[in-house]
């Protein structure tokens, strides 16, 4: 019984310690969109905070410029960004290495209407994504992470074609 009580107390202390530090900044980086907007990103134990977008649900997508499911998801993300423009922001990071000018042309050709970031301008955010979920950039795109308005990671969707209706339901669940 005493060992059990000690064990329970240790678990309770560990839980309090983790909870107390969940909102603390672990690391920071800066990303830059293809339009030149710089955004500071803070990695917490439980998520990412995009400075200037703390009041928004954040969809963070990793994609490849020549990935068919990634291209197919663009119209759906455009519709979601328009539908929930007051509540969400979408950041899409091209992780296969397209440079800024190439990615800007790609975004224009494919009508991307949300914030797009090249790998070269992504700072340490790809590393943050890997550390938080174990995702492997070269193997799985599209990959989506969903953060609530407090920056807490609420869902990550493994590589697959992401149906717009599914992502819409995830957003509705956080509003």
């Amino acid at each position: 019984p005493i060992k059990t009580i000690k064990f329970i107390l240790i678990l309770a202390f560990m839980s309090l310690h983790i909870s107390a530090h969940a909102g603390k900044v672990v690391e920071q980086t800066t990303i830059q969109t293809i339009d030149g907007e710089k955004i500071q990103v803070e990695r917490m134990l439980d998520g990412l905070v995009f400075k200037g977008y703390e009041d928004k649900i954040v969809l963070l997508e990793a994609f490849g410029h020549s990935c068919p499911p990634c291209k197919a998801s663009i119209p759906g993300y455009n519709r979601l960004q328009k539908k929930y423009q007051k509540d969400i922001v979408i950041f899409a990071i091209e992780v296969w290495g397209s440079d800024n000018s190439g990615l800007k042309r790609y975004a224009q050709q494919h009508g991307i209407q949300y914030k797009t970031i090249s790998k070269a301008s992504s700072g340490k955010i790809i590393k943050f994504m890997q550390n938080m979920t174990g995702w492997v950039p070269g193997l799985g795109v599209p990959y989506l992470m969903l953060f609530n308005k407090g920056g807490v990671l609420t869902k990550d969707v493994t590589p697959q074609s992401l149906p717009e209706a599914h992502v819409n339901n995830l957003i509705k669940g956080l509003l």
Side-chain angles (χ1 to χ4, degrees), residues 2-47:
I2 291 179
K3 286 184 180 182
T4 303
I5 292 171
K6 282 183 183 179
F7 180 72
I8 291 171
L9 288 173
I10 289 171
L11 284 178
F13 175 76
M14 287 173 58
S15 174
L16 287 172
H17 180 75
I18 290 169
S19 295
H21 291 88
K24 300 222 188 264
V25 176
V26 175
E27 205 170 354
Q28 296 179 343
T29 195
T30 300
I31 60 176
Q32 184 171 336
T33 69
I34 57 173
D35 296 322
E37 179 185 3
K38 290 183 179 182
I39 300 125
Q40 183 181 7
V41 182
E42 296 178 339
R43 182 170 77 89
M44 318 300 253
L45 291 177
D46 57 354

Side-chain angles (χ1 to χ4, degrees), residues 115-161:
K115 299 183 182 301
T116 310
I117 299 109
S118 71
K119 184 176 183 179
S121 298
S122 66
K124 296 185 269 183
I125 200 161
I126 295 171
K127 183 181 104 177
F128 293 177
M129 295 167 74
Q130 288 176 280
N131 291 343
M132 292 178 73
T133 65
W135 167 72
V136 179
L139 299 178
V141 292
Y143 178 70
L144 179 68
M145 298 174 77
L146 189 73
F147 299 89
N148 69 16
K149 291 183 181 184
V152 175
L153 177 64
T154 60
K155 182 81 173 168
D156 69 307
V157 182
T158 54
Q160 60 183 324
S161 178

Side-chain angles (χ1 to χ4, degrees), residues 95-107:
V95 297
W96 286 358
S98 184
D99 63 16
N100 281 334
S101 61
L103 187 56
K104 195 166 195 165
R105 279 191 307 277
Y106 176 89

Side-chain angles (χ1 to χ4, degrees), residues 67-107:
C67 157
C70 300
K71 286 180 188 177
S73 69
I74 293 169
Y77 283 136
N78 284 341
R79 285 188 293 271
L80 290 168
Q81 182 67 70
K82 185 175 180 180
K83 180 178 181 178
Y84 296 107
Q85 60 187 325
K86 293 180 183 176
D87 297 306
I88 73 167
V89 63
I90 299 171
F91 293 102
I93 301 174
E94 200 286 326
V95 297
W96 286 358
S98 184
D99 63 16
N100 281 334
S101 61
L103 187 56
K104 195 166 195 165
R105 279 191 307 277
Y106 176 89

